[in-house]
Amino acid sequence: MNQTKKSSSKSIGFRKKYRDILLFNRNLLISGTVGFFVSIIATQIIVEMDINSAFDISIVTILIGYCASKPLFIILFHRDNKQKYKNPMTGTTDSKILELIIKHLIVAYLVFDVVYIVSRFVIMYGLLLELKTGALEASIISSVCASSLSYLSTNVTIKIGRMFKLGIR
């Protein structure tokens, strides 16, 4: 029984300590999942429109998924973090804290976007050039690979940049 209490308190301590990173990653996963399915639907529509250029399919699919996932991430991130840049006494926005959060978020998202877009394009374009891979399969494979690389690079950037260790609560 005593071991269960220790395990439970460690779990709560872990969640509390890494709450911001867990929420950030949850928001990335939710928005990424939406972008993934939207890009798969877009790929299917593009193929049905008889567009066969590997370059065109790659670019359009990535752009449509990107346009679906980014606004959703911003909404989710704002919802989870709006209390951090509000002054609890006055309820007004603390512009210095908001500016700091935005700077860190821009850096983290630039890393995510560059890694995601470049790796997804290279992987998808390469797969589409192989006649053995269909557009839908190339879209799925490139999305999963690029997402994995992006999540890893973004979390390393957050850790190095101490994005959530700013003393903001």
Side-chain angles (χ1 to χ4, degrees), residues 116-128:
Y116 180 81
I117 291 170
V118 170
S119 62
R120 181 151 188 218
F121 177 80
V122 168
I123 294 167
M124 187 170 185
Y125 187 69
L127 289 171
L128 288 171

Side-chain angles (χ1 to χ4, degrees), residues 37-149:
F37 285 112
V38 168
S39 70
I40 288 176
I41 292 168
T43 303
Q44 188 62 36
I45 292 169
I46 291 168
V47 169
E48 289 175 5
M49 292 173 60
D50 205 27
I51 297 173
N52 294 321
S53 165
F55 184 82
D56 293 343
I57 293 171
S58 299
I59 293 292
V60 171
T61 300
I62 291 168
L63 284 175
I64 290 173
Y66 185 83
C67 290
S69 67
K70 293 308 169 225
L72 179 58
F73 175 82
I74 291 168
I75 291 167
L76 294 171
F77 185 86
H78 170 71
R79 186 196 66 198
D80 289 341
N81 292 285
K82 62 185 170 189
Q83 77 282 356
K84 288 183 181 177
Y85 49 84
K86 294 283 184 183
N87 184 324
M89 302 285 198
T90 63
T92 59
T93 300
D94 185 336
S95 60
K96 289 181 182 179
I97 293 174
L98 180 59
E99 183 180 321
L100 195 58
I101 290 171
I102 290 172
K103 283 180 184 178
H104 280 83
L105 186 60
I106 288 171
V107 169
Y109 238 100
L110 278 174
V111 169
F112 181 89
D113 288 342
V114 168
V115 171
Y116 180 81
I117 291 170
V118 170
S119 62
R120 181 151 188 218
F121 177 80
V122 168
I123 294 167
M124 187 170 185
Y125 187 69
L127 289 171
L128 288 171
L129 289 179
E130 290 183 22
L131 299 176
K132 299 174 187 171
T133 308
L136 195 56
E137 293 86 4
S139 180
I140 292 169
I141 292 167
S142 65
S143 182
V144 170
C145 292
S147 294
S148 300
L149 290 171

